[in-house]
Amino acid sequence: MKVLFNDKINITIHLEEKKLREIDKLAKIFKISRNKLILSSIEYAIDNQGFLDSLFQIMLVSEKK
């Protein structure tokens, strides 16, 4: 029996229209797809723990307001 693993899984995320427009502008500047920009950003966040720590702190502060 042969088991095939797909290393990519389709997901759905919900973004504000404003954020999506910003992503599209950046993707156009870098001449890459919206999907590639989002994936690269996620990979960067995962690979850079300091970034995640900073993001977590920002989220904590915004929730307290």
Side-chain angles (χ1 to χ4, degrees):
M1 178 176 173
K2 188 174 185 179
V3 178
L4 299 176
F5 290 96
N6 184 355
D7 63 344
K8 294 183 181 178
I9 299 171
N10 292 329
I11 63 164
T12 300
I13 60 172
H14 300 271
L15 298 172
E16 296 173 359
E17 186 178 343
K18 182 180 176 183
K19 287 285 182 209
L20 193 56
R21 285 193 306 258
E22 291 175 28
I23 290 168
D24 286 343
K25 285 179 189 176
L26 284 173
K28 186 175 181 179
I29 290 168
F30 294 121
K31 297 179 180 171
I32 60 175
S33 70
R34 171 196 293 168
N35 190 60
K36 186 165 183 146
L37 178 61
I38 293 169
L39 288 175
S40 296
S41 300
I42 292 169
E43 288 174 7
Y44 175 84
I46 291 170
D47 292 342
N48 293 280
Q49 187 62 44
F51 172 80
L52 288 175
D53 291 341
S54 297
L55 181 61
F56 182 68
Q57 290 300 320
I58 291 168
M59 290 169 54
L60 280 177
V61 169
S62 68
E63 286 180 2
K64 290 180 181 179
K65 290 183 180 181

